[in-house]
Amino acid sequence: MTPEILTALFFGSLLFFVALGVPLAFVLGGVSAVFLYVTWGAEGFFMVSSRVWTTMNSFTLISVPLFIFMALILERTGLANSLYRMMYLWMGGLRGGLAIGTVAICTVFAAMVGISGAAVVAMGAVALPAMLERGYDKKMALGAINAGGGLGILIPPSVVMIIYSLNTGVSVGSLFAAGILPGILLAALVGLYIGVRCFLQPGMGPALSKEERASWGEKLASLKAVLLPVLIVVMVLGSILSGIATPTEAAAVGVLGSLICAVVHRTFTLKMLHEAGVKTLVISAMIMWIFIGAHVFTTAYNAMGAQQLVAELMQNLPGGALGALLVMLAIVFVMGMFLDPIGIMLITLPVFMPVVNQFGFDPIWFGILFIIMMEVGYMTPPFGFNLFYLRGVVPPGVTMGDIYRSVIPYVLVIFLGMLLIGLVPAIALYLPGILI
């Protein structure tokens, strides 16, 4: 059987079983195991076990459950309420100020927790009812939370960046540094869109009346809410970028910071710690199973000669390097509507990285574009993760249709930011160049 037919059957089988709803880990592992056996026989499984053993021995991998544990503790601390009150007092007097402030808080959350869902759930529960009560347009408020929450996988520390590093060999510290300016850029563009839209259409995000606005004393007193978040960001990012700690050591420091935050906010209980620990175990186990399935996938993919076939197809695309880049990002965009980001990375990176190297793309720059595209997938119908996180916390009267429609202008804004990063790679590469 020719490599072309084998490759078509291979990817067709993967898509078929994913569409049936079979868990991704078992699709990757099961289908790949069958094709690996057909191609190489039983000897191929020795290579799989060797690759799995090498990955599981990676010290960096320990940071994944630690960052997840940190995020789950911070979700339960009540920190979101304090941050939202501070933002409400400072930004409420501006048109669209509550939505802009919500995006800012999501950015702060992203710099603390490393996953997307934490900010979406927190702001959906705290900020959304307040904005709707103040007369904000429903789609404006929903979209701000959705777009801001997506920054969790781009602004470091990011669990997705760690997975990217493990699969490509790119330095985690370099990826973390590369995500800072693009993350700030996207947050600024989203905030600018909200400000301009509400300036032109005041009814979209009305300002608080003068009687409702806070005094300077109240505003200054509320700033203490940002002390703990800043402390956690400095502890985690500062220790990595300064070279004091590895990402794994910094993740452990971040867990300590989240526990301190829980104690300060008087939300620390053994029950809370137990719930966060159990959920961390469940999420980490799921990721590890996907890892194992992905290694079988990678081995089978290489055994069939599919890597060379895909590289040749990409080389013959119209537009050369640009055409190949657009096709890869388009594939990630489509997959992001249906699959979780970890699964997308473990399926696509073995296919994409030889192409990235072939055309001479910087793997850090490509990684940032790749992660932003997954961020868009998080917030895009029909099955973007943030859409369903948000659906779980919205007040009565907000439908799934409202959530779907709210994302359109924000996706266009993020695409604009992505275009800027694509045209000006220094936005992503400047900080790694001077910090790492």
Side-chain angles (χ1 to χ4, degrees):
M1 196 176 293
T2 64
E4 291 83 357
I5 295 174
L6 266 177
T7 302
L9 288 173
F10 183 49
F11 284 104
S13 301
L14 288 174
L15 292 174
F16 175 73
F17 285 107
V18 166
L20 287 181
V22 179
L24 184 60
F26 302 127
V27 173
L28 280 177
V31 173
S32 302
V34 171
F35 279 84
L36 180 60
Y37 185 80
V38 169
T39 308
W40 272 8
E43 291 79 7
F45 295 112
F46 291 105
M47 182 174 288
V48 173
S49 61
S50 174
R51 294 178 65 127
V52 170
W53 178 259
T54 301
T55 300
M56 293 305 158
N57 271 327
S58 170
F59 182 63
T60 304
L61 192 61
I62 303 172
S63 63
V64 173
L66 287 173
F67 277 125
I68 293 170
F69 189 46
M70 181 178 76
L72 294 172
I73 292 173
L74 286 171
E75 269 186 352
R76 294 161 168 78
T77 58
L79 185 63
N81 292 296
S82 301
L83 285 172
Y84 182 76
R85 182 178 180 278
M86 183 273 294
M87 180 275 298
Y88 181 90
L89 296 177
W90 279 89
M91 303 289 291
L94 302 175
R95 291 179 185 174
L98 297 184
I100 296 171
T102 297
V103 174
I105 293 175
C106 288
T107 306
V108 173
F109 254 78
M112 290 190 296
V113 302
I115 59 177
S116 177
V120 173
V121 171
M123 289 298 99
V126 176
L128 182 60
M131 285 192 279
L132 296 180
E133 185 181 332
R134 297 295 173 185
Y136 272 63
D137 178 78
K138 193 184 298 184
K139 293 190 288 294
M140 171 72 72
L142 290 166
I145 295 170
N146 204 335
L151 296 172
I153 65 171
L154 177 62
I155 297 179
S158 165
V159 171
V160 170
M161 285 183 176
I162 296 169
I163 306 299
Y164 183 92
S165 169
L166 288 170
N167 281 272
T168 61
V170 175
S171 160
V172 178
S174 296
L175 282 170
F176 280 6
I180 295 173
L181 291 182
I184 294 172
L185 172 66
L186 293 186
L189 288 175
V190 171
L192 181 64
Y193 160 74
I194 295 169
V196 170
R197 184 84 185 269
C198 291
F199 178 79
L200 298 175
Q201 298 175 279
M204 299 286 288
L208 298 179
S209 64
K210 290 184 177 180
E211 295 76 19
E212 294 177 298
R213 297 176 190 177
S215 66
W216 277 105
E218 290 175 310
K219 289 181 179 180
L220 293 173
S222 70
L223 288 177
K224 63 183 181 183
V226 302
L227 294 178
L228 278 173
V230 168
L231 173 64
I232 293 173
V233 171
V234 170
M235 289 168 67
V236 176
L237 284 187
S239 60
I240 295 173
L241 298 180
S242 65
I244 296 173
T246 65
T248 302
E249 292 162 345
V253 172
V255 172
L256 174 62
S258 66
L259 291 172
I260 293 171
C261 187
V263 171
V264 170
H265 283 267
R266 299 180 181 179
T267 55
F268 179 84
T269 62
L270 291 178
K271 181 181 178 183
M272 180 272 286
L273 197 63
H274 176 264
E275 289 175 350
V278 170
K279 195 167 182 181
T280 299
L281 175 63
V282 171
I283 296 173
S284 301
M286 177 192 72
I287 292 173
M288 294 307 117
W289 273 111
I290 294 175
F291 254 116
I292 292 169
H295 279 304
V296 186
F297 166 80
T298 304
T299 307
Y301 172 77
N302 291 328
M304 291 185 298
Q307 180 175 320
Q308 183 179 355
L309 175 63
V310 172
E312 290 174 359
L313 288 173
M314 288 288 188
Q315 198 167 19
N316 295 322
L317 284 172
L322 177 61
L325 177 65
L326 293 177
V327 167
M328 288 189 287
L329 294 177
I331 290 171
V332 175
F333 174 68
V334 173
M335 293 179 75
M337 299 179 187
F338 303 96
L339 299 177
D340 67 278
I342 305 297
I344 293 171
M345 298 180 80
L346 296 176
I347 291 173
T348 58
L349 288 178
V351 182
F352 288 171
M353 291 315 294
V355 179
V356 169
N357 296 328
Q358 175 186 345
F359 285 107
F361 298 135
D362 188 293
I364 297 175
W365 172 76
F366 175 76
I368 296 301
L369 296 178
F370 183 95
I371 290 167
I372 293 173
M373 191 57 83
M374 285 201 297
E375 177 187 330
V376 174
Y378 257 111
M379 55 186 290
T380 308
F383 301 118
F385 275 43
N386 281 0
L387 303 174
F388 292 94
Y389 289 142
L390 198 52
R391 183 69 183 95
V393 295
V394 295
V398 177
T399 66
M400 202 67 202
D402 294 326
I403 296 173
Y404 278 178
R405 287 189 292 272
S406 71
V407 306
I408 297 171
Y410 292 93
V411 167
L412 296 177
V413 170
I414 291 175
F415 276 146
L416 172 62
M418 192 172 178
L419 177 63
L420 292 175
I421 297 165
L423 294 174
V424 188
I427 297 173
L429 299 178
Y430 175 70
L431 285 182
I434 64 171
L435 293 177
I436 305 299

